[in-house]
Amino acid sequence: MRAFSPWLDRTTPVPRAWPPPAQPDIADTLRDIRTRDRYGHVLHVAAALLFAFFAPLDQGPNSVASIVLVSITLVRVLTFPALFTPLLRWTPLWIALAWVGWTALSATWSPRSDALRLLNGQRLLLGVLALWPVLDHTRALAWALVLAAATNAAVQVAQKFGVLLPAHGASWRPSGLVALPAVAAINGGSAILLSMALLMGTRGIERVALYAVIMLCGVGMTLAASRFPALAFIPALILLSFMLVRLGYATRRSMMRTVLALAVLATIALLGVGEDFLRYLRSAAADAQAGSRGDVGFSSIHLRVFWWKASFAEFLQHPVIGGGVGSFTGFVDGYAGTRPFLERSGISLAEALPLHPHSSYLRALAETGIVGFTLFCSMIIAVLLGAFRNAVRNPNRSCAVVVGACASLVFILLCTSSECVELMNVAYAHLVVVIAICALPRTDHAPPL
């Protein structure tokens, strides 16, 4: 690999790759490699920041940013294996490998011929591994992520007022560059939580910029008019407030002021640009009342409930191994309740045959059975436990960002009960950066870029 890395400082000894260093020694090992490979580290940091900013915006930038980051990571792992051997001690890595492996194996009994194509999005999990060597730039990664969400929200505002053409979605729900309103709401809500954590200990221009990001992302969530992310944001905000106060990053009084300011901004956003959101809520309530009376009514909520019932019915048919990845569409087509639902709702068969049941948890249960569901939930629990442990163990300024990432992760996991984030590359990339911020050990010794 010498031809690829002529900038190496060969006067510095190379840290040994095996056995993997223990947790307290990880920061020292990575620091030694940065000393030997300064330029490589700078390139890696630049690629990581570009990934955090561009990957959550659109499919094209997502692919390019992923390729650049993984390519630089591959060169560095071949040159310095010690950069990545500590990951062998990270429990979620092995559970994730088992989950992806089992999902891939389920393609062998899936009726869908191109089932393996649905695993393309899992390549983004490599982003967590690729971000490992830049753990000392946690705040910069968080900033890149919130700026990406703010950029998308600015495009939403431009679409709302006719400055830009709307994305190829529902024209009354501007979603910015990400095309799907739900993704715009998920990324925006996550960015608000991260921004609130970044506020801890900041002053001057940085603080003003973070308030501007919060305001812009709040407007973006309102314009997206996605109901479940708005509901999921409330428990995530409560969790964030509790952790920031409990761990000493904020006082109760300052946290109450911050939450009150957030409520005022949300009210202003609803009054200013929230007419579509409010109309969307009223129509959902009217449809729900019609359905309770037995009248013909239809909304996306009814459709989701139908898909969730169908996914559970598929699970009951194949409780252990599931129907196989990608099998849900075919199952719904032959499901006994499909035709009666179409007659009541008046929608077409094509609209009722989705790629997934709009719930990551029910998708795992239906398509990969209790085995895949257990692996999926175990992976989530392992990441969450590690994230909370990191946030509690190292109470310092940089770890306030980890607290924000914990709340953001909980928010996204709540949202994915009504969406399949693992099949939405743009939202998945945002989630990957959040997981990396949660999972990586902290250090306060960050060299300048």
Side-chain angles (χ1 to χ4, degrees), residues 288-308:
Q289 291 176 358
S292 65
R293 295 193 303 266
D295 300 335
V296 176
F298 169 73
S299 72
S300 60
I301 296 176
H302 293 102
L303 191 54
R304 274 176 167 78
V305 171
F306 164 70
W307 287 331
W308 295 341

PDB file of all heavy atoms in Angstrom, residues 288-308:
ATOM      1  N   ALA A 288     -61.244   8.709  10.564  1.00  0.00           N
ATOM      2  CA  ALA A 288     -61.301   7.782  11.689  1.00  0.00           C
ATOM      3  C   ALA A 288     -62.710   7.709  12.264  1.00  0.00           C
ATOM      4  O   ALA A 288     -63.212   6.633  12.598  1.00  0.00           O
ATOM      5  CB  ALA A 288     -60.310   8.210  12.765  1.00  0.00           C
ATOM      6  N   GLN A 289     -63.393   8.850  12.379  1.00  0.00           N
ATOM      7  CA  GLN A 289     -64.762   8.864  12.874  1.00  0.00           C
ATOM      8  C   GLN A 289     -65.705   8.148  11.917  1.00  0.00           C
ATOM      9  O   GLN A 289     -66.589   7.402  12.334  1.00  0.00           O
ATOM     10  CB  GLN A 289     -65.224  10.301  13.084  1.00  0.00           C
ATOM     11  CG  GLN A 289     -64.534  11.015  14.235  1.00  0.00           C
ATOM     12  CD  GLN A 289     -64.942  12.469  14.347  1.00  0.00           C
ATOM     13  OE1 GLN A 289     -65.718  12.968  13.532  1.00  0.00           O
ATOM     14  NE2 GLN A 289     -64.415  13.156  15.354  1.00  0.00           N
ATOM     15  N   ALA A 290     -65.475   8.346  10.621  1.00  0.00           N
ATOM     16  CA  ALA A 290     -66.318   7.660   9.632  1.00  0.00           C
ATOM     17  C   ALA A 290     -66.129   6.153   9.722  1.00  0.00           C
ATOM     18  O   ALA A 290     -67.092   5.381   9.652  1.00  0.00           O
ATOM     19  CB  ALA A 290     -65.972   8.165   8.231  1.00  0.00           C
ATOM     20  N   GLY A 291     -64.884   5.737   9.891  1.00  0.00           N
ATOM     21  CA  GLY A 291     -64.611   4.313  10.000  1.00  0.00           C
ATOM     22  C   GLY A 291     -65.239   3.708  11.246  1.00  0.00           C
ATOM     23  O   GLY A 291     -65.732   2.574  11.223  1.00  0.00           O
ATOM     24  N   SER A 292     -65.224   4.462  12.360  1.00  0.00           N
ATOM     25  CA  SER A 292     -65.824   3.949  13.597  1.00  0.00           C
ATOM     26  C   SER A 292     -67.333   3.796  13.472  1.00  0.00           C
ATOM     27  O   SER A 292     -67.941   2.968  14.144  1.00  0.00           O
ATOM     28  CB  SER A 292     -65.477   4.877  14.773  1.00  0.00           C
ATOM     29  OG  SER A 292     -66.075   6.151  14.588  1.00  0.00           O
ATOM     30  N   ARG A 293     -67.953   4.630  12.593  1.00  0.00           N
ATOM     31  CA  ARG A 293     -69.403   4.519  12.379  1.00  0.00           C
ATOM     32  C   ARG A 293     -69.762   3.471  11.327  1.00  0.00           C
ATOM     33  O   ARG A 293     -70.927   3.211  11.080  1.00  0.00           O
ATOM     34  CB  ARG A 293     -69.957   5.875  11.927  1.00  0.00           C
ATOM     35  CG  ARG A 293     -69.845   6.983  12.959  1.00  0.00           C
ATOM     36  CD  ARG A 293     -70.710   8.179  12.540  1.00  0.00           C
ATOM     37  NE  ARG A 293     -70.338   8.666  11.228  1.00  0.00           N
ATOM     38  CZ  ARG A 293     -69.465   9.659  11.021  1.00  0.00           C
ATOM     39  NH1 ARG A 293     -68.869  10.234  12.058  1.00  0.00           N
ATOM     40  NH2 ARG A 293     -69.185  10.074   9.810  1.00  0.00           N
ATOM     41  N   GLY A 294     -68.729   2.901  10.692  1.00  0.00           N
ATOM     42  CA  GLY A 294     -68.987   1.916   9.657  1.00  0.00           C
ATOM     43  C   GLY A 294     -69.149   2.505   8.284  1.00  0.00           C
ATOM     44  O   GLY A 294     -69.454   1.789   7.324  1.00  0.00           O
ATOM     45  N   ASP A 295     -68.980   3.828   8.158  1.00  0.00           N
ATOM     46  CA  ASP A 295     -69.087   4.474   6.854  1.00  0.00           C
ATOM     47  C   ASP A 295     -67.830   4.207   6.034  1.00  0.00           C
ATOM     48  O   ASP A 295     -66.795   3.792   6.550  1.00  0.00           O
ATOM     49  CB  ASP A 295     -69.276   5.987   7.016  1.00  0.00           C
ATOM     50  CG  ASP A 295     -70.538   6.321   7.794  1.00  0.00           C
ATOM     51  OD1 ASP A 295     -71.457   5.475   7.786  1.00  0.00           O
ATOM     52  OD2 ASP A 295     -70.580   7.400   8.413  1.00  0.00           O
ATOM     53  N   VAL A 296     -67.932   4.467   4.742  1.00  0.00           N
ATOM     54  CA  VAL A 296     -66.774   4.326   3.881  1.00  0.00           C
ATOM     55  C   VAL A 296     -65.853   5.513   4.092  1.00  0.00           C
ATOM     56  O   VAL A 296     -66.262   6.662   3.946  1.00  0.00           O
ATOM     57  CB  VAL A 296     -67.193   4.243   2.390  1.00  0.00           C
ATOM     58  CG1 VAL A 296     -65.960   4.191   1.506  1.00  0.00           C
ATOM     59  CG2 VAL A 296     -68.067   3.022   2.165  1.00  0.00           C
ATOM     60  N   GLY A 297     -64.655   5.250   4.477  1.00  0.00           N
ATOM     61  CA  GLY A 297     -63.660   6.301   4.690  1.00  0.00           C
ATOM     62  C   GLY A 297     -62.285   5.743   4.390  1.00  0.00           C
ATOM     63  O   GLY A 297     -62.052   4.539   4.487  1.00  0.00           O
ATOM     64  N   PHE A 298     -61.363   6.616   4.040  1.00  0.00           N
ATOM     65  CA  PHE A 298     -60.036   6.123   3.718  1.00  0.00           C
ATOM     66  C   PHE A 298     -59.003   7.193   4.024  1.00  0.00           C
ATOM     67  O   PHE A 298     -59.207   8.370   3.754  1.00  0.00           O
ATOM     68  CB  PHE A 298     -59.923   5.740   2.239  1.00  0.00           C
ATOM     69  CG  PHE A 298     -58.495   5.469   1.831  1.00  0.00           C
ATOM     70  CD1 PHE A 298     -57.861   4.322   2.242  1.00  0.00           C
ATOM     71  CD2 PHE A 298     -57.792   6.398   1.093  1.00  0.00           C
ATOM     72  CE1 PHE A 298     -56.547   4.085   1.906  1.00  0.00           C
ATOM     73  CE2 PHE A 298     -56.475   6.169   0.739  1.00  0.00           C
ATOM     74  CZ  PHE A 298     -55.855   5.005   1.150  1.00  0.00           C
ATOM     75  N   SER A 299     -57.900   6.793   4.615  1.00  0.00           N
ATOM     76  CA  SER A 299     -56.736   7.643   4.809  1.00  0.00           C
ATOM     77  C   SER A 299     -55.513   6.735   4.848  1.00  0.00           C
ATOM     78  O   SER A 299     -55.629   5.507   4.853  1.00  0.00           O
ATOM     79  CB  SER A 299     -56.844   8.447   6.109  1.00  0.00           C
ATOM     80  OG  SER A 299     -56.670   7.587   7.226  1.00  0.00           O
ATOM     81  N   SER A 300     -54.337   7.364   4.897  1.00  0.00           N
ATOM     82  CA  SER A 300     -53.116   6.564   4.964  1.00  0.00           C
ATOM     83  C   SER A 300     -53.056   5.764   6.254  1.00  0.00           C
ATOM     84  O   SER A 300     -52.388   4.727   6.321  1.00  0.00           O
ATOM     85  CB  SER A 300     -51.887   7.476   4.855  1.00  0.00           C
ATOM     86  OG  SER A 300     -51.860   8.414   5.916  1.00  0.00           O
ATOM     87  N   ILE A 301     -53.771   6.242   7.291  1.00  0.00           N
ATOM     88  CA  ILE A 301     -53.794   5.484   8.545  1.00  0.00           C
ATOM     89  C   ILE A 301     -54.530   4.162   8.347  1.00  0.00           C
ATOM     90  O   ILE A 301     -54.058   3.100   8.777  1.00  0.00           O
ATOM     91  CB  ILE A 301     -54.475   6.317   9.648  1.00  0.00           C
ATOM     92  CG1 ILE A 301     -53.656   7.584   9.939  1.00  0.00           C
ATOM     93  CG2 ILE A 301     -54.640   5.500  10.922  1.00  0.00           C
ATOM     94  CD1 ILE A 301     -54.303   8.504  10.938  1.00  0.00           C
ATOM     95  N   HIS A 302     -55.669   4.212   7.659  1.00  0.00           N
ATOM     96  CA  HIS A 302     -56.407   2.972   7.381  1.00  0.00           C
ATOM     97  C   HIS A 302     -55.555   2.009   6.574  1.00  0.00           C
ATOM     98  O   HIS A 302     -55.547   0.795   6.829  1.00  0.00           O
ATOM     99  CB  HIS A 302     -57.699   3.283   6.608  1.00  0.00           C
ATOM    100  CG  HIS A 302     -58.703   4.047   7.390  1.00  0.00           C
ATOM    101  ND1 HIS A 302     -58.904   5.391   7.240  1.00  0.00           N
ATOM    102  CD2 HIS A 302     -59.580   3.648   8.352  1.00  0.00           C
ATOM    103  CE1 HIS A 302     -59.862   5.795   8.051  1.00  0.00           C
ATOM    104  NE2 HIS A 302     -60.292   4.764   8.740  1.00  0.00           N
ATOM    105  N   LEU A 303     -54.852   2.543   5.601  1.00  0.00           N
ATOM    106  CA  LEU A 303     -54.031   1.689   4.745  1.00  0.00           C
ATOM    107  C   LEU A 303     -52.905   1.040   5.545  1.00  0.00           C
ATOM    108  O   LEU A 303     -52.610  -0.145   5.376  1.00  0.00           O
ATOM    109  CB  LEU A 303     -53.464   2.514   3.588  1.00  0.00           C
ATOM    110  CG  LEU A 303     -52.787   1.737   2.446  1.00  0.00           C
ATOM    111  CD1 LEU A 303     -53.719   0.678   1.886  1.00  0.00           C
ATOM    112  CD2 LEU A 303     -52.361   2.701   1.345  1.00  0.00           C
ATOM    113  N   ARG A 304     -52.281   1.815   6.423  1.00  0.00           N
ATOM    114  CA  ARG A 304     -51.221   1.249   7.245  1.00  0.00           C
ATOM    115  C   ARG A 304     -51.748   0.167   8.176  1.00  0.00           C
ATOM    116  O   ARG A 304     -51.114  -0.877   8.345  1.00  0.00           O
ATOM    117  CB  ARG A 304     -50.539   2.354   8.063  1.00  0.00           C
ATOM    118  CG  ARG A 304     -49.423   3.066   7.306  1.00  0.00           C
ATOM    119  CD  ARG A 304     -48.856   4.202   8.135  1.00  0.00           C
ATOM    120  NE  ARG A 304     -47.611   4.706   7.604  1.00  0.00           N
ATOM    121  CZ  ARG A 304     -47.493   5.511   6.568  1.00  0.00           C
ATOM    122  NH1 ARG A 304     -48.593   5.894   5.923  1.00  0.00           N
ATOM    123  NH2 ARG A 304     -46.302   5.927   6.153  1.00  0.00           N
ATOM    124  N   VAL A 305     -52.897   0.409   8.782  1.00  0.00           N
ATOM    125  CA  VAL A 305     -53.484  -0.607   9.668  1.00  0.00           C
ATOM    126  C   VAL A 305     -53.757  -1.888   8.887  1.00  0.00           C
ATOM    127  O   VAL A 305     -53.517  -3.006   9.383  1.00  0.00           O
ATOM    128  CB  VAL A 305     -54.772  -0.071  10.325  1.00  0.00           C
ATOM    129  CG1 VAL A 305     -55.512  -1.186  11.059  1.00  0.00           C
ATOM    130  CG2 VAL A 305     -54.445   1.064  11.282  1.00  0.00           C
ATOM    131  N   PHE A 306     -54.242  -1.752   7.644  1.00  0.00           N
ATOM    132  CA  PHE A 306     -54.475  -2.929   6.803  1.00  0.00           C
ATOM    133  C   PHE A 306     -53.164  -3.668   6.546  1.00  0.00           C
ATOM    134  O   PHE A 306     -53.095  -4.902   6.649  1.00  0.00           O
ATOM    135  CB  PHE A 306     -55.105  -2.491   5.483  1.00  0.00           C
ATOM    136  CG  PHE A 306     -55.049  -3.541   4.406  1.00  0.00           C
ATOM    137  CD1 PHE A 306     -55.823  -4.695   4.495  1.00  0.00           C
ATOM    138  CD2 PHE A 306     -54.205  -3.394   3.310  1.00  0.00           C
ATOM    139  CE1 PHE A 306     -55.766  -5.675   3.512  1.00  0.00           C
ATOM    140  CE2 PHE A 306     -54.140  -4.355   2.326  1.00  0.00           C
ATOM    141  CZ  PHE A 306     -54.922  -5.498   2.419  1.00  0.00           C
ATOM    142  N   TRP A 307     -52.094  -2.934   6.213  1.00  0.00           N
ATOM    143  CA  TRP A 307     -50.796  -3.578   5.961  1.00  0.00           C
ATOM    144  C   TRP A 307     -50.253  -4.256   7.221  1.00  0.00           C
ATOM    145  O   TRP A 307     -49.681  -5.342   7.147  1.00  0.00           O
ATOM    146  CB  TRP A 307     -49.785  -2.534   5.474  1.00  0.00           C
ATOM    147  CG  TRP A 307     -50.033  -2.069   4.072  1.00  0.00           C
ATOM    148  CD1 TRP A 307     -50.617  -2.763   3.051  1.00  0.00           C
ATOM    149  CD2 TRP A 307     -49.689  -0.786   3.523  1.00  0.00           C
ATOM    150  NE1 TRP A 307     -50.673  -2.002   1.902  1.00  0.00           N
ATOM    151  CE2 TRP A 307     -50.106  -0.783   2.172  1.00  0.00           C
ATOM    152  CE3 TRP A 307     -49.089   0.357   4.041  1.00  0.00           C
ATOM    153  CZ2 TRP A 307     -49.917   0.308   1.330  1.00  0.00           C
ATOM    154  CZ3 TRP A 307     -48.898   1.453   3.206  1.00  0.00           C
ATOM    155  CH2 TRP A 307     -49.314   1.434   1.872  1.00  0.00           C
ATOM    156  N   TRP A 308     -50.445  -3.612   8.369  1.00  0.00           N
ATOM    157  CA  TRP A 308     -49.944  -4.206   9.607  1.00  0.00           C
ATOM    158  C   TRP A 308     -50.680  -5.509   9.936  1.00  0.00           C
ATOM    159  O   TRP A 308     -50.073  -6.467  10.396  1.00  0.00           O
ATOM    160  CB  TRP A 308     -50.094  -3.198  10.755  1.00  0.00           C
ATOM    161  CG  TRP A 308     -49.234  -1.970  10.568  1.00  0.00           C
ATOM    162  CD1 TRP A 308     -48.147  -1.847   9.743  1.00  0.00           C
ATOM    163  CD2 TRP A 308     -49.401  -0.697  11.178  1.00  0.00           C
ATOM    164  NE1 TRP A 308     -47.623  -0.582   9.811  1.00  0.00           N
ATOM    165  CE2 TRP A 308     -48.371   0.158  10.679  1.00  0.00           C
ATOM    166  CE3 TRP A 308     -50.306  -0.170  12.102  1.00  0.00           C
ATOM    167  CZ2 TRP A 308     -48.238   1.480  11.100  1.00  0.00           C
ATOM    168  CZ3 TRP A 308     -50.176   1.144  12.504  1.00  0.00           C
ATOM    169  CH2 TRP A 308     -49.150   1.961  12.015  1.00  0.00           C
TER     170      TRP A 308
END
